[in-house]
């Protein structure tokens, strides 16, 4: 082989290596983008569930006499609102 052929072969191998590296990085980016989308979707789902649970807890607290405020007379007598 001539020196020019060896140089061309090395250049071709380098280009092939770089192309493969770019393709691998593209696949990694696609995987990461898909993962970000999945996490965003899960986050929205959890936010919605948290709102429902928060409203449920708020409703339970408002329905329970334990969490109701007492009038000023019972506070003056030293009674706590958590009777």
């Amino acid at each position: 082989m001539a020196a020019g052929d060896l140089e061309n072969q090395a250049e071709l191998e380098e280009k092939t290596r770089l192309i493969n590296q770019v393709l691998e990085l593209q696949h990694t980016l696609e995987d990461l983008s898909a993962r970000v989308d999945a996490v965003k979707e899960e986050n929205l789902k959890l936010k919605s569930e948290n709102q429902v649970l928060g409203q449920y807890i708020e409703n339970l607290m408002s329905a329970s006499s334990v969490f109701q405020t007492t009038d000023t007379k019972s506070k003056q007598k030293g009674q706590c609102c958590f009777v």
Side-chain angles (χ1 to χ4, degrees), residues 9-69:
Q9 179 68 25
E11 191 175 302
L12 182 61
E13 288 175 2
E14 178 67 11
K15 284 181 181 179
T16 302
R17 187 186 68 77
L18 289 173
I19 288 171
N20 288 335
Q21 189 176 11
V22 167
L23 291 173
E24 183 179 335
L25 290 171
Q26 283 178 337
H27 291 302
T28 301
L29 180 59
E30 288 172 1
D31 292 343
L32 289 172
S33 293
R35 178 70 180 135
V36 166
D37 290 341
V39 168
K40 282 181 180 179
E41 187 175 315
E42 181 68 16
N43 186 32
L44 289 174
K45 179 182 169 190
L46 291 173
K47 277 184 179 181
S48 175
E49 289 176 4
N50 282 344
Q51 287 177 339
V52 169
L53 288 172
Q55 186 63 47
Y56 177 72
I57 290 170
E58 193 175 303
N59 290 343
L60 285 176
M61 289 173 61
S62 66
S64 173
S65 62
V66 172
F67 296 104
Q68 299 297 319
T69 58

